[in-house]
Amino acid sequence: MRIAIITGATGGLGMGFVQAIAAMDEIDEIWAVGRNARKLSELKDAFEKVVPVEADLAKDGISFLEEQIKEKTPDVRYLVNNAGIGYFGAFEKMKREEVKAFCRINCSVPAELIAATLPFMQKGARILNVSSASSFQPNPYLSVYSASKVFLKNLSRAVGVELKPRGINVTCVCPGWVDTGMLPRTKDGKEINYGGMISVEQVVKKALKDSMRGKDMSVPGLFAKYFRIYSKVMPTGLIMRQWTWSVRKYL
Ligand SMILES: NC(=O)c1ccc[n+]([C@@H]2O[C@H](COP(=O)([O-])OP(=O)(O)OC[C@H]3O[C@@H](n4cnc5c(N)ncnc54)[C@H](OP(=O)(O)O)[C@@H]3O)[C@@H](O)[C@H]2O)c1
């Protein structure tokens, strides 16, 4: 059984990955991981290959998924580490539980899932880790989010080098703003402007194409590409000041 595992399958980008991978002949089943039973069932109705895996990754969901993998011993062709949570606001206002959940879902879960699936991957398998353009520089008021995405980016690229001899490709996906439910549209009645926002389809199409080409990074859209170069050449302190200035009206 050749499978794809996609976390956060009930969200914007996750659903996009489900749709694109469902069209691939090489995949028999898509294990769609999410917490929302209703959304998972709708996904199953829309795509025959979907096998809903109801699991809360902030809790013990990863153990359940691991048990399923060990029991069914599938040939894992794709692992898409896509589930992630965001928080905009001052670090000192975050609850301890929120900080913990962030580190768990955005960092530990993808790392543990790579470890859990590697024994079930063969040559030609692909791992896609959805990080963010937030990994290109530290973002005040998105502090834990941007730090968590650096973790995922560095893990992705380093493990990718280690897995090259096994013929397993690892691609880190770093979009800027993407039009999904993750982004609040207003803050205290003020409309939020997301510069250079792109669609789910753009991100997914490029990510899968870059994975096929064996690339370790996938940076979709002009905004994220520009930002990546900008953050390499400009002083980090200056970038953080500019960012803080640009988000001040939403604080
Ligand atoms: N949207 C953007 O602008 C943007 C930009 C760069 C990177 N990204 C990254 O893209 C990825 C997907 O985000 P999205 O924009 O598609 O957001 P989204 O629509 O909010 O989807 C997030 C997904 O993660 C799942 N999830 C959250 N907490 C979970 C938990 N405890 N256990 C299991 N699943 C959980 C959600 O499932 P539920 O339905 O159960 O909540 C949902 O399916 C994230 O890693 C995000 O950081 C997004």
Side-chain angles (χ1 to χ4, degrees):
M1 181 64 68
R2 301 160 304 171
I3 71 157
I5 299 175
I6 303 174
T7 65
T10 52
L13 279 170
M15 274 195 203
F17 278 109
V18 170
Q19 186 172 9
I21 293 176
M24 295 179 181
D25 289 337
E26 60 173 301
I27 298 298
D28 303 311
E29 282 186 359
I30 297 175
W31 291 15
V33 186
R35 289 174 299 182
N36 188 316
R38 184 185 50 81
K39 283 192 198 166
L40 285 174
S41 160
E42 283 169 8
L43 213 53
K44 167 87 196 134
D45 292 342
F47 303 100
E48 219 177 290
K49 290 180 183 175
V50 164
V51 175
V53 181
E54 199 183 324
D56 186 342
L57 299 172
K59 297 187 180 140
D60 209 23
I62 199 152
S63 311
F64 174 69
L65 186 56
E66 222 175 322
E67 277 164 27
Q68 296 289 306
I69 297 169
K70 281 187 183 150
E71 192 188 310
K72 299 193 173 134
T73 62
D75 173 7
V76 181
R77 310 300 298 162
Y78 278 88
L79 168 64
V80 184
N81 270 318
N82 165 72
I85 50 175
Y87 171 91
F88 177 73
F91 178 79
E92 66 174 355
K93 289 200 179 141
M94 284 182 85
K95 297 190 186 89
R96 282 286 289 281
E97 283 312 309
E98 285 174 329
V99 175
K100 258 166 106 174
F102 257 96
C103 297
R104 171 123 197 85
I105 295 171
N106 292 9
C107 304
S108 315
V109 164
E112 285 182 55
L113 267 181
I114 294 173
T117 50
L118 271 180
F120 300 89
M121 286 186 180
Q122 299 176 22
K123 188 175 178 192
R126 304 182 178 283
I127 299 171
L128 288 98
N129 295 310
V130 183
S131 174
S132 164
S134 274
S135 67
F136 299 153
Q137 70 292 306
N139 288 132
Y141 305 101
L142 270 184
S143 57
V144 186
Y145 180 78
S146 101
S148 72
K149 293 303 185 180
V150 175
F151 173 92
L152 190 54
K153 185 180 73 181
N154 284 5
L155 177 83
S156 190
R157 299 190 80 177
V159 171
V161 170
E162 294 178 27
L163 293 177
K164 266 252 143 66
R166 270 186 67 184
I168 297 172
N169 185 259
V170 187
T171 304
C172 180
V173 184
C174 292
W177 304 118
V178 190
D179 192 3
T180 73
M182 177 180 263
L183 305 180
R185 300 301 142 140
T186 56
K187 171 97 176 162
D188 302 329
K190 288 178 208 142
E191 199 172 314
I192 303 176
N193 173 32
Y194 296 103
M197 186 155 77
I198 56 175
S199 71
V200 164
E201 291 71 28
Q202 276 173 278
V203 179
V204 170
K205 196 172 165 197
K206 177 153 176 59
L208 291 171
K209 198 167 160 189
D210 286 336
S211 166
M212 301 285 183
R213 288 176 171 168
K215 289 193 171 183
D216 68 338
M217 289 287 286
S218 179
V219 183
L222 276 178
F223 175 81
K225 280 190 179 70
Y226 167 79
F227 219 65
R228 187 178 180 202
I229 297 167
Y230 190 75
S231 59
K232 277 186 182 167
V233 297
M234 298 301 279
T236 304
L238 175 67
I239 297 173
M240 287 197 293
R241 281 197 296 281
Q242 287 172 332
W243 164 262
T244 307
W245 185 83
S246 73
V247 298
R248 74 198 181 289
K249 55 181 180 278
Y250 307 121
L251 293 172

